[in-house]
């Protein structure tokens, strides 16, 4: 999915904008590219992810997916996009604390039946979460929850994968393992990645890096 | 689709349902719907009961007589209508037709003549009104010379007197209307040196005409044949009215110092009173039902609001408003159907019990389940429309 930004400014940040590669710029993110947005807190990383996921629309300028302005999308269209074209790992993860690991993943996977149970098991195994498969999400550590949220995000078809600080609570080894799962899936689906981080995460050499 | 709904969604939403609130709703809805259905059942019974008499008679009429004063009793002067009075009554614009009650002028004895029946023997009198007042479609009211069978209409009071006064004292069985109309009776008529026995049967009961009616043609013939002296004095009139509810009729009657001896007046007052009472009871039923609907709606809104974060998460995972609200809508639908059927069932049992108790007093055919069922379906559709709209709105508000 090609994404273009044309003079986009988040309304709450209108007065306090500094130098940015994205805000108030005209840029294109190519389909199938890996993009990392590195910026300190309060510069609008999560806002950008939420704009791209259709949760917020309080911005000026135009964001387009494949030459269609996302401001024109209806609620129904956003639901279709979230099921078929865009997947996300929220900064706040948004797991269901009362459901176990597998149920949390299936609640997403069953929308499209994209992955089989054994494929899900393979992914959980790859991120080291298989031993916790029947544990309720509410009792897992934040790092474990982050890995569950990553696996959940991979269990649907997508053209764009949004990752909002997905490795913030993972050590290097776990982060690397999780990124490999992500990268394999993205390669398979030939999707675009938009990843945000406080500091540069050097997981892949072909990543475009932007600052906000 | 419902089938696609996975167990995870149910698990999430089921845990958020508040059992005490649902129990409170179910109880109040059950009570409300029970009262509503019971009122509907009673209303059908009542209208059928009132209509039963109008089926018997083809026209709107009143029965008028003169008041009997103490002076008349002392002077032995009878309270009869003169021809002039009858002509004057005929001139009134609110009356269509005036007819006289013909009375039997010979001796009549009614008795039972069967081993299977208890022996009853009583003196009687007959009266007759023109055939046009009776509904020929409903009863066989024809008599022609030479026919030995006489159809009779008894006053409703007669049956009550028999069932509650006569039968218990004599050790006789109490009889329902339908049983009574099947009993073969004998009539012995004597006068003018003649004596004959006829077959007779009660073909109907009337609340409106408080007398024993036989076909007019028969009575005219019998008076000619058996009466020793022909006394054509008229003590009661049957008057066909354009509109029985016209207050001018009653003004005229009281101005002339006549009296209306027609049970229909009492009936119409009773009808008004009962209709009002049933409407109030039905209204209370509707009110309780509406309160119950509101209670469930309120619990749903509360649950949805409490579950806001979960619903928002589902929305962000790509679920639509309709998919998110579906479990609540299905739950409301199933609960409503169960409650409606339960209330319908209980009110039907209760109604059958009441009808059984009243069987001897009044005979009412079972009203059937159709009208209460239609009421149930209408209630269901109404509840579902209200709930669907409200739940959908609450979900939209919660996830946005």
């Amino acid at each position: 999915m090609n994404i273009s930004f044309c003079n986009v400014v988040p309304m709450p940040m209108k007065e306090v904008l500094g130098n940015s590669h994205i805000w108030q710029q005209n840029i294109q993110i190519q389909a199938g590219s890996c993009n990392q947005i590195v910026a300190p807190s309060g510069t609008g990383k999560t806002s950008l992810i939420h704009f791209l996921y259709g949760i917020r629309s309080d911005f000026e300028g135009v964001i387009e997916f494949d030459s269609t302005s996302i401001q024109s999308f209806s609620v129904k269209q956003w639901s279709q996009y979230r099921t078929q074209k865009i997947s996300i790992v929220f900064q706040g993860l948004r797991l269901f604390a009362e459901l176990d690991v597998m149920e949390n993943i299936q609640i997403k996977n069953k929308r499209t039946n994209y992955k089989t149970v054994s494929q899900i098991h393979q992914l959980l195994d790859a991120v080291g979460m298989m031993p916790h498969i029947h544990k309720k999400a509410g009792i897992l550590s934040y790092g474990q929850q982050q890995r569950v949220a990553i696996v959940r995000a991979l269990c649907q078809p997508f053209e764009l994968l949004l990752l909002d600080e997905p490795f913030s609570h993972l050590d290097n080894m776990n982060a690397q393992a999780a990124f490999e799962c992500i990268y394999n899936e993205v390669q398979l689906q030939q999707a675009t990645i938009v990843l945000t981080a406080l500091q540069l995460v050097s997981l892949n050499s072909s990543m475009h890096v932007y600052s906000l | 689709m419902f089938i696609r709904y996975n167990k995870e969604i149910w698990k999430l939403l089921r845990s958020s349902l508040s059992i005490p609130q649902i129990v409170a709703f179910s109880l109040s809805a059950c009570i409300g719907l029970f009262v509503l259905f019971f009122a509907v059942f009673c209303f059908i019974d009542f209208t059928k009961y009132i209509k039963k008499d109008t089926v018997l008679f083809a026209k709107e009429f009143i029965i008028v007589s003169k008041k009997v004063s103490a002076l008349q009793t002392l002077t032995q002067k009878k309270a009869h209508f003169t021809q002039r009075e009858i002509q004057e009554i005929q001139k009134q614009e609110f009356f269509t037709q005036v007819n006289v009650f013909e009375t039997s002028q010979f001796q009549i004895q009614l008795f039972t003549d069967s081993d299977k029946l208890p022996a009853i023997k009583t003196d009687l009198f007959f009266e007759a009104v023109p055939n046009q007042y009776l509904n020929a479609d409903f009863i066989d009211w024809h008599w022609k010379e030479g026919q030995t069978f006489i159809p009779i209409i008894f006053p409703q009071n007669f049956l009550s007197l028999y069932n509650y006064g006569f039968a218990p004292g004599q050790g006789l069985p109490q009889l329902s209307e339908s049983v009574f109309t099947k009993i073969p009776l004998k009539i012995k008529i004597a006068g003018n040196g003649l004596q004959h026995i006829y077959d007779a049967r009660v073909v109907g009961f009337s609340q409106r005409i408080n007398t024993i009616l036989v076909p007019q043609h028969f009575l005219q013939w019998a008076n000619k044949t058996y009466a020793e002296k022909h006394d054509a004095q008229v003590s009661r009139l049957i008057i066909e009215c354009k509109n029985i509810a016209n207050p001018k009729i009653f003004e005229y009657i009281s101005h002339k110092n006549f009296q209306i001896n027609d049970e229909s007046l009492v009936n119409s007052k009773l009808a008004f009173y009962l209709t009002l009472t049933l409407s109030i009871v039905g209204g209370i039923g509707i009110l309780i039902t509406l309160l119950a609907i509101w209670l469930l709606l309120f619990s749903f809104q509360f649950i949805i609001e409490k579950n806001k974060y979960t619903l928002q998460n589902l929305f962000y995972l790509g679920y639509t408003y309709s998919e998110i609200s579906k479990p609540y809508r299905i739950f409301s639908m199933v609960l409503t159907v169960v409650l409606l059927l339960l209330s319908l069932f209980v009110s039907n049992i209760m109604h059958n019990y009441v009808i059984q108790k009243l069987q001897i007093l009044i005979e009412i055919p079972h009203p059937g389940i159709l009208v209460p069922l239609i009421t149930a379906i209408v209630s269901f559709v109404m509840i579902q429309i209200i709930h669907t709209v409200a739940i959908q709105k609450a979900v939209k508000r919660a996830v946005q």
Side-chain angles (χ1 to χ4, degrees), chain A:
Chain A
M1 182 188 283
N2 290 307
I3 307 166
S4 70
F5 294 87
C6 183
N7 286 323
V8 176
V9 186
M11 281 176 198
M13 295 173 65
K14 224 169 146 184
E15 313 297 327
V16 291
L17 277 181
N19 281 336
S20 166
H21 288 144
I22 295 193
W23 304 139
Q24 277 186 320
Q25 304 292 326
N26 288 328
I27 62 154
Q28 294 270 340
I29 291 178
Q30 296 301 319
S33 62
C34 261
N35 307 280
Q36 189 174 163
I37 294 156
V38 183
S41 302
T43 46
K45 292 189 299 297
T46 300
S47 299
L48 176 68
I49 295 288
H50 285 187
F51 294 158
L52 292 173
Y53 201 59
I55 295 175
R56 281 176 59 182
S57 57
D58 52 338
F59 61 88
E60 283 177 2
V62 180
I63 302 175
E64 289 179 341
F65 289 165
D66 294 329
S67 306
T68 309
S69 167
I70 63 170
Q71 281 106 315
S72 68
F73 288 0
S74 65
V75 175
K76 207 174 170 185
Q77 266 175 307
W78 274 118
S79 286
Q80 283 167 351
Y81 265 74
R82 289 168 192 161
T83 308
Q84 301 285 349
K85 292 188 173 179
I86 309 176
S87 195
I88 190 169
V89 175
F90 288 102
Q91 193 179 44
L93 307 180
R94 289 191 173 267
L95 294 177
F96 300 101
E98 58 272 57
L99 298 184
D100 68 24
V101 169
M102 196 61 185
E103 287 169 336
N104 262 294
I105 294 165
Q106 282 290 29
I107 211 165
K108 177 76 178 169
N109 187 54
K110 280 185 181 174
R111 304 250 340 122
T112 51
N113 284 322
Y114 181 69
K115 296 269 186 207
T116 62
V117 173
S118 68
Q119 284 172 324
I120 296 170
H121 285 177
Q122 276 171 18
L123 284 170
L124 284 172
D125 198 33
V127 296
M129 285 304 294
M130 232 1 225
H132 310 288
I133 190 164
H134 296 303
K135 283 187 188 160
K136 286 209 161 54
I139 61 160
L140 298 174
S141 73
Y142 203 81
Q144 289 170 325
Q145 288 188 32
Q146 238 170 3
R147 282 178 275 166
V148 175
I150 289 167
V151 173
R152 181 178 72 178
L154 302 180
C155 290
Q156 72 159 83
F158 56 81
E159 294 172 24
L160 172 64
L161 181 62
L162 302 169
L163 305 162
D164 196 2
E165 298 186 34
F167 314 124
S168 59
H169 286 71
L170 297 182
D171 56 73
N172 279 343
M173 208 175 73
N174 274 316
Q176 191 64 46
F179 187 75
E180 268 170 37
C181 287
I182 293 169
Y183 195 71
N184 290 341
E185 191 60 44
V186 166
Q187 289 288 309
L188 194 73
Q189 300 208 34
Q190 297 186 317
T192 314
I193 295 183
V194 176
L195 183 150
T196 66
L198 288 167
Q199 287 158 349
L200 187 67
V201 186
S202 47
L203 298 160
N204 185 282
S205 55
S206 61
M207 244 186 206
H208 302 275
V209 179
Y210 301 87
S211 68
L212 284 181

Side-chain angles (χ1 to χ4, degrees), chain B residues 19-179:
Chain B
I19 301 297
Q21 278 175 5
I22 285 158
V23 169
F25 159 74
S26 304
L27 268 178
S28 44
C30 250
I31 294 168
L33 290 169
F34 166 75
V35 172
L36 177 66
F37 290 142
F38 193 71
V40 169
F41 272 122
C42 291
F43 194 78
I44 302 166
D45 285 349
F46 174 65
T47 37
K48 275 198 177 167
Y49 181 64
I50 291 293
K51 268 191 186 156
K52 208 170 67 165
D53 225 38
T54 46
V55 166
L56 211 57
F57 298 105
K59 292 178 186 296
E60 279 206 289
F61 62 82
I62 55 169
I63 294 161
V64 175
S65 63
K66 280 191 162 181
K67 278 186 182 161
V68 179
S69 65
L71 189 67
Q72 279 169 327
T73 314
L74 286 174
T75 56
Q76 296 262 305
K77 192 186 169 195
K78 288 179 183 170
H80 289 152
F81 288 99
T82 62
Q83 275 306 316
R84 244 181 85 185
E85 280 171 330
I86 294 172
Q87 275 165 8
E88 197 207 308
I89 291 169
Q90 258 164 346
K91 281 181 198 155
Q92 303 306 314
E93 51 172 10
F94 30 81
F95 296 138
T96 325
Q97 205 178 352
V98 179
N99 291 94
V100 298
F101 267 80
E102 289 182 54
T103 316
S104 54
Q105 286 152 13
F106 44 85
Q107 283 185 337
I108 305 162
Q109 249 185 6
L110 176 142
F111 61 97
T112 51
D113 183 27
S114 166
D115 297 339
K116 291 174 193 158
L117 295 167
I120 296 171
K121 196 176 208 179
T122 179
D123 285 335
L124 276 191
F125 67 98
F126 286 152
E127 284 190 292
V129 292
N131 285 359
Q132 70 206 27
Y133 286 96
L134 289 132
N135 194 343
D137 293 338
F138 186 68
I139 46 166
D140 185 9
W141 200 238
H142 296 290
W143 186 89
K144 58 179 186 295
E145 213 172 314
Q147 183 178 318
T148 56
F149 170 75
I150 310 163
I152 304 175
I153 292 176
F154 266 15
Q156 186 85 42
N157 294 352
F158 185 91
L159 189 66
S160 305
L161 276 176
Y162 170 83
N163 275 329
Y164 299 109
F166 187 68
Q170 301 291 314
L172 296 171
Q174 290 181 313
L175 300 170
S176 70
E177 271 183 36
S178 56
V179 170

Side-chain angles (χ1 to χ4, degrees), chain B residues 102-261:
Chain B
E102 289 182 54
T103 316
S104 54
Q105 286 152 13
F106 44 85
Q107 283 185 337
I108 305 162
Q109 249 185 6
L110 176 142
F111 61 97
T112 51
D113 183 27
S114 166
D115 297 339
K116 291 174 193 158
L117 295 167
I120 296 171
K121 196 176 208 179
T122 179
D123 285 335
L124 276 191
F125 67 98
F126 286 152
E127 284 190 292
V129 292
N131 285 359
Q132 70 206 27
Y133 286 96
L134 289 132
N135 194 343
D137 293 338
F138 186 68
I139 46 166
D140 185 9
W141 200 238
H142 296 290
W143 186 89
K144 58 179 186 295
E145 213 172 314
Q147 183 178 318
T148 56
F149 170 75
I150 310 163
I152 304 175
I153 292 176
F154 266 15
Q156 186 85 42
N157 294 352
F158 185 91
L159 189 66
S160 305
L161 276 176
Y162 170 83
N163 275 329
Y164 299 109
F166 187 68
Q170 301 291 314
L172 296 171
Q174 290 181 313
L175 300 170
S176 70
E177 271 183 36
S178 56
V179 170
F180 211 105
T181 53
K182 288 185 184 80
I183 297 176
L185 299 169
K186 296 278 182 190
I187 300 280
K188 188 162 93 180
I189 294 177
N192 206 14
L194 299 166
Q195 181 172 309
H196 291 112
I197 291 175
Y198 293 87
D199 293 319
R201 196 166 54 79
V202 178
V203 294
F205 289 90
S206 164
Q207 291 175 339
R208 298 198 56 189
I209 302 185
N210 206 0
T211 189
I212 302 159
L213 286 178
V214 288
Q216 191 186 31
H217 194 190
F218 166 74
L219 195 63
Q220 284 169 346
W221 172 85
N223 271 342
K224 248 189 260 167
T225 313
Y226 299 106
E228 281 156 22
K229 55 176 181 148
H230 296 276
D231 180 7
Q233 284 179 324
V234 178
S235 58
R236 285 208 285 185
L237 300 175
I238 181 165
I239 306 173
E240 190 189 334
C241 309
K242 277 181 192 158
N243 172 19
I244 200 165
N246 187 348
K248 280 186 185 167
I249 296 174
F250 303 101
E251 272 170 36
Y252 177 78
I253 299 292
S254 79
H255 171 70
K256 286 282 170 186
N257 214 19
F258 300 151
Q259 67 182 11
I260 299 181
N261 15 355

Side-chain angles (χ1 to χ4, degrees), chain A residues 53 55 75-76 79 82-83 90 92 94-96 98-99 103 106-108 110-111 136 152, chain B residues 4 6-9 11-12 15 309-321 323 400:
Chain A
Y53 201 59
I55 295 175
V75 175
K76 207 174 170 185
S79 286
R82 289 168 192 161
T83 308
F90 288 102
R94 289 191 173 267
L95 294 177
F96 300 101
E98 58 272 57
L99 298 184
E103 287 169 336
Q106 282 290 29
I107 211 165
K108 177 76 178 169
K110 280 185 181 174
R111 304 250 340 122
K136 286 209 161 54
R152 181 178 72 178
Chain B
R4 268 184 59 196
N6 47 50
K7 67 178 170 62
E8 289 81 16
I9 300 280
K11 196 173 168 181
L12 274 177
S15 61
Y309 186 75
T310 304
L311 301 185
Q312 231 168 28
N313 278 357
L314 287 171
F315 185 62
Y316 293 157
L317 290 181
Y319 286 88
T320 60
Y321 293 142
E323 285 171 316
Q400 273 171 355

